[in-house]
Structure formats: structure tokens, C-alpha cells
């Protein structure tokens, strides 16, 4: 038993030592990405530009049917995030725009910069937690929970979100159901909506039967 405890402590110390062995691990996009992220770029080739993301600059065009635009600063676009367990996104919502129900592999914190939105999430007991947010308000969406945002103001809304994962993923529920290749018959059965409505949603979202 003592030897097992010793082995556990030794393994923990080795793990902790490995965790602080490098100051950073800027992603090397020339190498394949693994389940734990990208391989590290040669430190001799790392520059200050690797640590700066400029994708949030300027006005963002909104062209989708929902009336929103999301600019993602995930590890595949922002190399310095690799291995750090954090990421960000910019959220632009047109008047009346909606970010439909979606989920991530991580938790998310949102801060509203402009406008007025209703934001919320639904837990595994089907309880909805939602609130009207004003400028400066912050809300958290727990890990993997379905959540959404709706612009209820008279001007376009702007928010920034932070997620505790370098590549947290983004799955929009409605496009996943009707914008992909899920057969109509299955989409109808698992949503309990009519065949006509399934076809209408596919037409809007560009899915294939």
C-alpha cells in the first residue's frame, strides 16, 4: 500500500513538473493536430505576433438567417492559445438577431458590450435559466449546457465570450438537425415535426436529405 501511495505521489510530481516545463506551446500548424492540441512551434521561430489576435477588429457582416455573426478566437486561428485551456469569441447580433440553441465542450462566460440581449441556458432537468442583460453584465453558461442569446434591443448588440478550452467546439442544434445530411425521416422522428416542416427547414439551412 505504501509503495502504491509513493508511486501515486511520484506520478503527480512528474505530471506537475511536465505542466510547467515550457512557458508556452505556440501551435505549429505545419504538423498534425492531436487530441491534446497542436505540436509546439520551435521557440526560436516564435514572435510577438503569435500572441496577438486581430480578428475582432472592425465591423462584422451578418448574412445568416438567424441574424448573428460569431468570430472565433480558437487555437486553430490563434496559435498562442494552444495548450492554455482558454479561448474567446466575438458575438455580433443584428436587431432581432438570435444565436440559436448551441453547446460547447466547455463552460462559457459572456460580457455584453453594446445593446440589450436575453441570454440563457437549459440544464439537464429541462430548467431554463435566462436573463435580460444590459451593457456591462456578465453571465456564465456551465459546461456542455444548451444555451442561446437573443437581441431584444433597438440597436445591434455586441458581446465577447471566454471559454475554458483552447478549442471548445461549437455545435448549433438547429443547423445540426436540418443543415446536414440527416435523413428527413429520422429528422422527423426525433423532432416530432411534420415532413413539410423538415423540408422547409432543410431549404432554409441548405441541408441534404
Amino acid at each position: 500500500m505504501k509503495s502504491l501511495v509513493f508511486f501515486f505521489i511520484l506520478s503527480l510530481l512528474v505530471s506537475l513538473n511536465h505542466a510547467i516545463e515550457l512557458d508556452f506551446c505556440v501551435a505549429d500548424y505545419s504538423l498534425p493536430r492531436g487530441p491534446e492540441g497542436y505540436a509546439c512551434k520551435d521557440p526560436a521561430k516564435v514572435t510577438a505576433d503569435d500572441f496577438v489576435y486581430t480578428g475582432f477588429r472592425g465591423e462584422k457582416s451578418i448574412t445568416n438567417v438567424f441574424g448573428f455573426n460569431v468570430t472565433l478566437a480558437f487555437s486553430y486561428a490563434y496559435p498562442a492559445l494552444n495548450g492554455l485551456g482558454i479561448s474567446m469569441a466575438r458575438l455580433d447580433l443584428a436587431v432581432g438577431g438570435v444565436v440559436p440553441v448551441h453547446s460547447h465542450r466547455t463552460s462559457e462566460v459572456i460580457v455584453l458590450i453594446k445593446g440589450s440581449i436575453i441570454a440563457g441556458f437549459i440544464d439537464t432537468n429541462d430548467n431554463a435559466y435566462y436573463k435580460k442583460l444590459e451593457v456591462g453584465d456578465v453571465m456564465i453558461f456551465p459546461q456542455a449546457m444548451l444555451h442561446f442569446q437573443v437581441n431584444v434591443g433597438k440597436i445591434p448588440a455586441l458581446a465577447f465570450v471566454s471559454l475554458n478550452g483552447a478549442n471548445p467546439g461549437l455545435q448549433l442544434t438547429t443547423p445540426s438537425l436540418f443543415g446536414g445530411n440527416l435523413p428527413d425521416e429520422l429528422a422527423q422522428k426525433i423532432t416530432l415535426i411534420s415532413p413539410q416542416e423538415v423540408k422547409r427547414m432543410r431549404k432554409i439551412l441548405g441541408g441534404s436529405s
Side-chain angles (χ1 to χ4, degrees), residues 8 23 39 46 61 63 71-72 76 98 104 123 145 152 164 189 203:
F8 173 76
D23 291 334
V46 172
S61 61
T63 58
T71 306
L72 302 175
Y76 55 75
V98 174
H104 310 280
D123 71 12
M145 295 291 98
V152 293
N164 61 334
K189 287 183 180 298
K203 186 176 181 180

Side-chain angles (χ1 to χ4, degrees), residues 1-35:
M1 183 66 178
K2 289 183 178 180
S3 61
L4 183 62
V5 172
F6 174 77
F7 178 75
F8 173 76
I9 293 174
L10 180 62
S11 297
L12 180 61
L13 290 174
V14 170
S15 175
L16 289 174
N17 182 60
H18 176 71
I20 59 174
E21 184 176 344
L22 301 173
D23 291 334
F24 47 78
C25 180
V26 173
D28 186 341
Y29 295 140
S30 69
L31 298 174
R33 186 180 187 280

Side-chain angles (χ1 to χ4, degrees), residues 27-156:
D28 186 341
Y29 295 140
S30 69
L31 298 174
R33 186 180 187 280
E36 295 184 356
Y38 294 95
C40 302
K41 188 176 181 179
D42 181 350
K45 298 180 180 179
V46 172
T47 70
D49 288 340
D50 290 315
F51 298 95
V52 177
Y53 180 74
T54 60
F56 291 160
R57 293 180 182 178
E59 296 295 321
K60 304 299 179 183
S61 61
I62 297 174
T63 58
N64 63 49
V65 67
F66 296 106
F68 78 93
N69 181 83
V70 175
T71 306
L72 302 175
F74 290 3
S75 60
Y76 55 75
Y78 191 179
L81 294 182
N82 188 48
L84 297 183
I86 55 173
S87 58
M88 293 185 68
R90 169 178 168 160
L91 171 60
D92 290 89
L93 278 164
V95 175
V98 174
V99 181
V101 172
H102 62 283
S103 62
H104 310 280
R105 292 184 286 263
T106 63
S107 300
E108 175 183 330
V109 177
I110 186 171
V111 56
L112 187 64
I113 305 301
K114 185 176 74 172
S116 179
I117 67 173
I118 290 178
F121 69 92
I122 304 168
D123 71 12
T124 55
N125 293 314
D126 297 330
N127 292 316
Y129 299 86
Y130 57 94
K131 188 78 175 180
K132 183 178 180 181
L133 304 183
E134 303 295 346
V135 173
D137 289 348
V138 177
M139 187 172 186
I140 189 166
F141 309 121
Q143 181 175 350
M145 295 291 98
L146 297 172
H147 55 287
F148 57 88
Q149 295 90 27
V150 181
N151 186 351
V152 293
K154 297 181 179 180
I155 62 172

